[in-house]
């Protein structure tokens, strides 16, 4: 593993077991701090410094316009990483802020702010406890940030319902839930179902003492929709991007081989219900 995040955190194995919020926050804070440099080195060029790429399939907000007209709108990016999306939003006339749990990721965001001259406000916080006043945001977005790693999406949705104005749009991209049944392998081994779709037991990587060093949660499509509805959101669209012709990039488990057969990303387009 060399000097990988797994090596630095002492990861020795995998467990499928219950993981509460406190353990998940501690594990994923440590993981993304440890992995921030490698992640940016691997994906930074593809994501850009001021571009809004929703997913490994390459869907861009400039083309998809899932957030609608953002000019003059106050937008928060949840789980921003290097904050390229928030920076792009600022170039289109939005008032954007970016939030992430990881100080390591925000260090890269700060460097990109300086590199581009687009000085996005950066906030270190959990998506389950947003340090934002009620009714202060017009829009919220997340491109694979935070949601796969929190124990309670219901808590996140409640927080977003609080900070968004009535009718405010909330759009987020996550790994397509059907991917849970396949191994995280971009090759032929990733085409055979091995894990029950209905098993919500979290995936955890653990150290020699059994402590989680990385945690990811699974929800079915129905789980996501019910949590959104219970949180006061209306689902307007569910986008399942097809793998584009000529797109050869392999990103983790995403690959042309798998992408031509089944979706890898689900993008939920929702709005805060009135009142």
């Amino acid at each position: 593993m060399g000097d990988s995040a797994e090596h630095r955190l002492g990861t020795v194995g995998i467990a499928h077991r219950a993981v509460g919020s406190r353990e998940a926050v501690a594990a994923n804070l440590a993981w993304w701090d440890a992995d921030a440099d490698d992640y940016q080195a691997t994906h930074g060029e593809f994501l850009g410094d001021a571009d809004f790429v929703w997913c490994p399939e390459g869907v861009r907000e400039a083309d998809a316009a899932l957030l609608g007209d953002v000019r003059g709108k106050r937008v928060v990016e949840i789980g921003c990483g290097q904050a390229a999306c928030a920076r792009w939003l600022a170039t289109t006339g939005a008032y954007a802020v970016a939030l992430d749990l990881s100080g390591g990721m925000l260090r890269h965001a700060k460097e990109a702010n300086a590199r581009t001259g687009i000085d996005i406000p950066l906030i270190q916080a959990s998506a389950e406890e947003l340090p934002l006043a009620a009714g202060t945001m017009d829009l919220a977005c997340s491109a694979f940030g935070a949601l796969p790693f929190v124990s309670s999406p219901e808590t996140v949705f409640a927080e977003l319902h609080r900070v968004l104005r009535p009718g405010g749009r909330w759009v987020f991209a996550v790994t397509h839930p059907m991917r849970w049944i396949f191994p995280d392998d971009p090759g032929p081994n990733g085409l055979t179902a091995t894990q029950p779709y209905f098993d919500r037991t979290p995936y955890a990587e653990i150290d020699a003492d059994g402590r989680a060093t990385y945690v990811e949660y699974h929800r079915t499509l129905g789980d996501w929709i019910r949590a959104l509805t219970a949180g006061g959101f209306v689902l307007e669209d569910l986008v399942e991007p097809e793998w584009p012709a000529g797109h050869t990039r392999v990103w983790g488990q995403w690959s042309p081989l798998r992408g031509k057969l089944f979706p890898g990303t689900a993008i939920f387009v929702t709005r805060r219900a009135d009142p």
Side-chain angles (χ1 to χ4, degrees), residues 9-95:
L9 296 174
T11 302
V12 298
I14 293 170
H16 290 272
R17 63 168 174 82
V19 183
S21 177
R22 182 174 296 181
E23 185 179 14
V25 168
N28 287 321
L29 172 58
W31 166 265
W32 289 110
D33 280 352
D35 193 55
D37 292 348
D38 287 346
Y39 185 90
Q40 184 62 23
T42 302
H43 304 299
E45 183 178 355
F46 177 72
L47 295 173
D49 276 344
D51 197 2
F52 197 136
V53 183
W54 278 108
C55 53
E57 290 88 350
V59 176
R60 282 174 160 76
E61 178 61 13
D63 303 315
L66 300 180
L67 292 170
D69 185 359
V70 303
R71 289 174 295 179
K73 301 291 180 64
R74 294 177 61 85
V75 190
V76 57
E77 182 185 1
I78 304 295
C80 66
Q82 186 250 43
C85 299
R87 229 170 273 112
W88 179 87
L89 288 166
T91 68
T92 64
Y95 300 99

Side-chain angles (χ1 to χ4, degrees), residues 110-123:
K110 184 177 180 180
E111 291 170 359
N113 276 359
R115 192 161 55 243
T116 61
I118 306 170
D119 194 18
I120 295 296
L122 304 172
I123 304 170

